[in-house]
Amino acid sequence: PEDPMPLSRRPHTDQAFEAELRELREELLRMASRVEQMIGLAAHALIEGDVEAARRVIAMDYAVNAAERAIDDHCIRLLARWQPMAGDLRFIMTAGKMVTDLERIGDLATNVCERAIELHEPGFAGSWEEVPRMAEVVQEMLREAIAAFVDEKAKRARKVLKRDDEVDELYHRLFARLLERMATGEGDAASLVPVQNAAKYLERIGDHATNLAEQVIFMCKGRDVRHKGKRKPPEGEAADGAEEA
């Protein structure tokens, strides 16, 4: 079935409520735009060894934290004042959950920059081909998740879910290569360990972008797709709340 009518074209009986929903959407998009910028700068700082870019990202994190608090407060006010239902309720709930993942992505971008500053060899991380590719993919995942939110298209969000496997594969490949270098004594741990840490942060950004996409699917379809394929309990155990056969 087609996605329901987007919120931007859905009629409301109260124009004030509609205006508040638009304001909430715009607040979240501004926060997402800032976080996406942080990822781009963090990737540049790590790959090129740009310490100034890294420090800029670290400073930007304060604004992201403030945005999370402001949007949380806005969601609570909307729920208390208007007591929304159906699609509007899902939209507000989704916005409230998305800001948590966006804030964590901002934190992880900051962590990447801290490792970029720690590295002794400028541009060393960029010499590992998996690092630039991971950075590129997670940026694309975040961008697509937010675009799916704007368009209210579950189909677009589902495409983001499929890309997380690519990020995981890149991380595992890099980790194996780093371990090999350490085991053979070919690499300096002072440089190799920060690269591994930074790559792990990028992998976690991919996880949070996946969370965003899952939340968009819930908003559009009212269906929870989190942990898909992991819901069946171990043999002999019942899921929480499920009756024994």
Side-chain angles (χ1 to χ4, degrees):
E2 293 293 326
D3 286 346
M5 181 182 292
L7 180 120
S8 56
R9 299 199 303 272
R10 203 176 299 148
H12 293 285
T13 56
D14 195 306
Q15 292 183 351
F17 178 48
E18 185 177 357
E20 285 213 53
L21 290 177
R22 286 198 301 268
E23 181 183 352
L24 176 61
R25 177 196 293 269
E26 290 166 3
E27 287 176 336
L28 192 143
L29 292 179
R30 284 195 295 271
M31 181 181 182
S33 177
R34 187 183 298 272
V35 170
E36 183 179 342
Q37 183 182 10
M38 290 174 70
I39 296 175
L41 284 170
H44 169 76
L46 179 65
I47 294 165
E48 302 297 334
D50 189 335
V51 172
E52 289 306 313
R55 288 175 177 152
R56 183 180 171 191
V57 172
I58 293 169
M60 291 171 70
D61 194 44
Y62 293 99
V64 170
N65 294 341
E68 181 193 25
R69 293 191 296 269
I71 294 172
D72 278 343
D73 289 345
H74 197 171
C75 289
I76 292 170
R77 291 197 309 271
L78 280 168
L79 293 171
R81 180 179 180 186
W82 299 103
Q83 299 180 350
M85 299 179 67
D88 294 329
L89 176 60
R90 291 203 305 271
F91 171 77
I92 296 168
M93 289 176 60
T94 299
K97 291 180 178 180
M98 288 179 76
V99 294
T100 300
D101 281 292
L102 288 170
E103 189 275 335
R104 283 298 299 133
I105 291 173
D107 285 345
L108 290 162
T110 298
N111 295 150
V112 169
C113 289
E114 290 170 348
R115 301 293 81 75
I117 293 171
E118 183 182 340
L119 282 166
H120 298 286
E121 302 175 48
F124 178 73
S127 66
W128 298 82
E129 61 183 17
E130 293 87 356
V131 173
R133 181 57 184 162
M134 287 181 71
E136 180 183 3
V137 174
V138 298
Q139 287 179 81
E140 292 172 355
M141 289 174 68
L142 174 61
R143 195 175 302 121
E144 279 299 299
I146 298 304
F149 171 77
V150 171
D151 296 340
E152 298 189 35
K153 294 295 184 182
K155 184 176 181 180
R156 192 167 190 175
R158 287 192 184 98
K159 293 179 180 178
V160 177
L161 307 185
K162 298 176 182 178
R163 305 207 65 186
D164 193 44
D165 289 341
E166 180 182 355
V167 177
D168 291 343
E169 173 60 29
L170 287 165
Y171 172 72
H172 293 310
R173 189 198 311 168
L174 174 65
F175 186 61
R177 293 177 63 201
L178 287 168
L179 283 180
E180 184 180 357
R181 287 281 295 274
M182 291 180 188
T184 58
E186 296 179 29
D188 176 12
S191 293
L192 296 177
V193 171
V195 172
Q196 185 271 325
N197 289 339
K200 184 60 180 176
Y201 298 142
L202 291 172
E203 187 267 338
R204 290 292 296 136
I205 289 174
D207 289 342
H208 285 286
T210 299
N211 291 348
L212 293 172
E214 291 172 342
Q215 290 152 14
V216 171
I217 294 170
F218 170 76
M219 180 184 74
C220 295
K221 298 292 188 181
R223 188 160 60 243
D224 189 345
V225 298
R226 293 175 299 174
H227 316 301
K228 188 175 181 181
K230 301 179 182 178
R231 293 176 180 170
K232 185 177 180 181
E235 188 175 350
E237 296 183 17
D240 291 344
E243 296 181 356
E244 294 284 358

